Amino acid sequence: MPVLQIDGDDFTLDGEPFRIISGGLHYFRVHPDQWADRLRKARLMGLNTVETYVPWNLHQPRPDAFRMDAELDLPAFLDLAAAEGLHVLLRPGPYICAEWEGGGLPSWLLAEPDIRLRSQDPAYLRAVEAYFEQLLPPLLDRLATRGGPVLAVQVENEFGAYSDETAHLAHLADLLRRLGVDVPLFTCDQPGDLARGALPGVLATANFGSRSREGIAALRAHQPAGPLMCTEFWIGWFDRWGGHHVVRDPAQAAQELDDLLSTGASVNLYMFHGGTSFGFTNGANDKHTYRPTVGSYDYDAPLDEAGEPTAKYHAFREVIAKYAPVPAEPVPGPVQKLPATTVTLTDSAPLFANLPALGTAVTSERPLTMEQLRQDFGYVLYKAILPAAGPVLLELDDVRDRAQVFVDGQPVGVLERESHERAIAFTVPRAGSVLRLLVENQGRVNYGQEMHDRKGLPGRVLLDGVELTGWTNRPLPLSDLGGLAFAPTGGPAVGPVFHRGTFQVEEPADTFVHLPGWTKGNVWVNGFHLGRHWSRGPQRSLYVPGPVLRPGPNEIVVLELHAGHFARTVELREQPDLGPTEE
């Protein structure tokens, strides 16, 4: 592969002027069997480059564990990009934002009580250095200087929106260089943050989604010389639970892209293909109110969540063709979908009756956080004994992020961080009644100053103003459901319940799970965790990648946290429902 150079105000590749026309494609949000398809569609739209972040929390789930295989086989993804003739912009973080759980920072960092993330805190730096020392060596052969596709590597991510500690950026840049990264480095920031987030001697780039000429002018004012580039050209947006599905008019987005390319700048579309934050990997925002992000990362992108070219794909292809060669090959047709069907869930397994199969309990005086329990994602079940009968007021110092309250197995209410709820009144039926709080991590904050987002019950639990002590803490990561004891479903159950059913597939293909009548929980197909369902919306379907399915019988498991409605069926449909828009 040719090597990218900075020559005055231009990029060059093998001495020839080169414009980066890139699109975001996160390998960790796409099933690996679909990587090649998405990369081919990127090239056919006219892109010469793709961009990806790297999620630290998946690659290093614990300090003593590192993964780069299966769905995390980044070298394989880079090789597929090279085989398609595409270059790569690599954004390894360590912080990535990306509407990803914790911005990609592993939760185990927060087990250190006083750690300062994204700073020169020695504890944080030791962790970053240990991670990069494992992440980077397998990637060095994929750098363009060694014949690979990686043209350039980003230093951190939108640092100016978080801090002005330039010494930290310099430390990370030096670390990348020391570990063998010899392609150009760059930073990216929104125009108003360029002064805080730029690093002398490193190419600065800007992030924006409208007023393209103004954004480029701000970048040029900050950086009088050097190539101009928008590293995140926002052509859509993400959705949050309780909001609406965000869309952007294809013609208007295409005009903004035209305006940007007319300045001569390079661009990376954010996103070309959003994909899905499967499982528990969605992030959240907290600007005085906590707002968790949905699992679909469709992003109203040129390729939708299932990899289908959209109207935006065709509009962008026409714009790109004005400035660069676009392959003459035809654009791929529709992606095959599974025929619609209704699946009856015939078996069930109450969560409270299956606790030993889901996690091991730990005792403590005060409730332990997820981080203290060495738990990344999922739920924690807290249990304590109530000393006396009668009406009481239960108060929590904090709830991260949603607590279902049960007394002797009966639900008495819900406390939500998003609604700033921390107290609930109920009547205790007898002395010695069992109090349970099932607390869900709905996604760690991925942006801004609230990123030190420890989950579970951080702090005290008060009963009529007196601290309640003597707790049992049971982590429920739900990473392995193999030990659940399913039985034929009888009457309505009390409390959270896993429901299971099977459906037949002749030829595996993409589909979407719809859950009309269900309230909240999670969905697995053949053990693959699709993500969360919630009647709050806007997202009302979950994407099932075709490679997750197999010919013959397939299993679906639905965790329903609120069992009162007792829905028995789910629907597999050919189209998603991402919710209403404002239009």
Side-chain angles (χ1 to χ4, degrees):
M1 285 280 188
V3 177
L4 185 72
Q5 302 282 351
I6 294 174
D7 186 1
D9 290 343
D10 298 311
F11 290 120
T12 62
L13 214 57
D14 276 359
E16 296 296 322
F18 181 70
R19 187 204 296 251
I20 298 170
I21 302 179
S22 177
L25 174 57
H26 300 159
Y27 62 98
F28 48 93
R29 281 186 159 121
V30 179
H31 192 285
D33 290 355
Q34 297 171 325
W35 288 345
D37 172 78
R38 308 310 193 244
L39 290 164
R40 177 170 175 265
K41 289 171 179 171
R43 179 181 62 81
L44 292 179
M45 197 178 81
L47 303 184
N48 56 33
T49 305
V50 292
E51 164 268 318
T52 187
Y53 283 126
V54 180
W56 181 4
N57 56 356
L58 294 193
H59 283 285
Q60 194 178 23
R62 302 250 55 88
D64 57 353
F66 183 82
R67 285 193 56 204
M68 196 179 273
D69 61 345
E71 76 280 5
L72 295 176
D73 193 343
L74 177 53
F77 176 80
L78 298 176
D79 291 345
L80 285 171
E84 194 61 52
L86 292 166
H87 306 289
V88 175
L89 298 175
L90 190 65
R91 305 171 78 189
Y95 163 77
I96 63 172
C97 185
E99 288 71 58
W100 191 253
E101 225 269 355
L105 301 182
S107 67
W108 49 261
L109 291 170
L110 296 173
E112 185 86 26
D114 300 318
I115 195 166
R116 290 181 296 111
L117 304 176
R118 304 179 70 189
S119 79
Q120 288 297 91
D121 180 345
Y124 178 69
L125 290 181
R126 282 193 299 271
V128 171
E129 290 169 3
Y131 166 56
F132 272 15
E133 285 168 359
Q134 295 181 86
L135 173 71
L136 292 174
L139 305 180
L140 296 180
D141 286 346
R142 275 78 180 182
L143 300 178
T145 46
R146 307 185 194 190
V150 178
L151 289 181
V153 173
Q154 183 172 295
V155 183
E156 234 264 355
N157 186 63
E158 288 195 328
F159 190 69
Y162 186 80
S163 173
D164 60 0
E165 192 176 359
T166 306
H168 182 56
L169 284 182
H171 187 106
L172 294 177
D174 290 345
L175 178 62
L176 290 169
R177 292 299 191 207
R178 177 169 63 82
L179 293 175
V181 175
D182 55 2
V183 296
L185 301 178
F186 63 99
T187 58
C188 76
D189 288 281
Q190 298 177 42
D193 297 325
L194 284 165
R196 287 160 48 93
L199 180 62
V202 170
L203 181 70
T205 70
N207 297 347
F208 49 82
S210 59
R211 299 190 295 275
S212 299
R213 292 189 177 93
E214 292 179 28
I216 287 298
L219 176 59
R220 179 53 80 211
H222 167 78
Q223 185 171 253
L228 296 167
M229 179 162 177
C230 178
T231 290
E232 289 188 17
F233 183 62
W234 304 318
I235 53 81
W237 205 244
F238 58 91
D239 297 344
R240 67 169 180 85
W241 290 113
H244 63 277
H245 175 47
V246 182
V247 297
R248 185 176 185 187
D249 178 67
Q252 189 268 339
Q255 183 58 57
E256 287 286 354
L257 176 61
D258 202 341
D259 291 346
L260 174 59
L261 293 177
S262 71
T263 69
S266 290
V267 65
N268 176 62
L269 308 176
Y270 196 95
M271 297 289 294
F272 163 68
H273 173 49
T276 310
S277 301
F278 291 113
F280 292 119
T281 58
N282 66 276
N285 286 281
D286 191 345
K287 298 176 182 178
H288 308 297
T289 297
Y290 174 80
R291 303 289 195 194
T293 307
V294 305
S296 170
Y297 205 60
D298 177 270
Y299 217 86
D300 195 34
L303 288 190
D304 69 13
E305 186 176 10
E308 293 268 18
T310 65
K312 199 170 283 183
Y313 182 102
H314 298 284
F316 283 10
R317 193 171 190 253
E318 290 182 8
V319 170
I320 292 168
K322 295 169 59 176
Y323 299 94
V326 170
E329 303 164 56
V331 175
V335 177
Q336 180 183 356
K337 300 295 194 302
L338 207 66
T341 187
T342 298
V343 183
T344 301
L345 307 187
T346 56
D347 301 326
S348 60
L351 185 144
F352 291 161
N354 283 268
L355 293 175
L358 297 172
T360 302
V362 177
T363 58
S364 61
E365 280 300 290
R366 281 185 174 178
L368 300 176
T369 64
M370 274 193 174
E371 293 72 26
Q372 290 171 318
L373 292 166
R374 293 170 55 87
Q375 180 182 356
D376 298 315
F377 313 124
Y379 303 78
V380 179
L381 183 63
Y382 297 95
K383 185 177 76 171
I385 303 302
L386 298 171
V392 297
L393 178 67
L394 183 75
E395 297 175 277
L396 310 177
D397 276 351
D398 204 350
V399 57
R400 302 288 182 95
D401 300 303
R402 185 176 190 268
Q404 293 174 251
V405 185
F406 301 87
V407 176
D408 288 342
Q410 298 296 316
V412 297
V414 176
L415 297 174
E416 290 190 330
R417 173 182 178 183
E418 186 170 0
S419 303
H420 305 281
E421 298 166 338
R422 295 184 182 177
I424 186 171
F426 54 86
T427 299
V428 180
R430 60 181 178 84
S433 285
V434 177
L435 172 70
R436 288 189 175 98
L437 293 94
L438 181 63
V439 180
E440 178 183 2
N441 165 8
Q442 294 187 295
R444 291 183 178 84
V445 171
N446 56 257
Y447 184 85
Q449 300 302 316
E450 302 302 319
M451 287 184 57
H452 297 70
D453 188 11
R454 295 170 176 87
K455 296 301 189 182
L457 295 180
R460 302 169 303 161
V461 177
L462 304 179
L463 200 66
D464 288 337
V466 178
E467 183 172 5
L468 183 61
T469 58
W471 289 88
T472 298
N473 315 260
R474 189 182 298 268
L476 302 173
L478 304 189
S479 53
D480 181 2
L481 306 184
L484 292 176
F486 283 97
T489 301
V494 175
V497 177
F498 295 91
H499 300 270
R500 184 177 69 180
T502 60
F503 58 98
Q504 293 291 321
V505 170
E506 290 188 11
E507 182 179 353
D510 290 353
T511 188
F512 296 90
V513 177
H514 293 247
L515 298 105
W518 298 78
T519 303
K520 194 179 195 305
N522 302 82
V523 182
W524 293 260
V525 170
N526 294 334
F528 183 91
H529 190 181
L530 301 180
R532 310 173 203 260
H533 70 88
W534 197 358
S535 58
R536 178 174 290 183
Q539 179 181 346
R540 297 187 182 277
S541 63
L542 288 88
Y543 171 57
V544 184
V548 168
L549 303 177
R550 53 190 177 234
N554 290 258
E555 177 189 76
I556 183 167
V557 173
V558 178
L559 169 62
E560 172 53 60
L561 297 172
H562 300 273
H565 66 89
F566 204 60
R568 287 181 180 269
T569 62
V570 299
E571 298 176 13
L572 302 182
R573 302 181 190 169
E574 297 183 21
Q575 297 298 326
D577 180 359
L578 297 180
T581 70
E582 285 189 327
E583 295 183 343

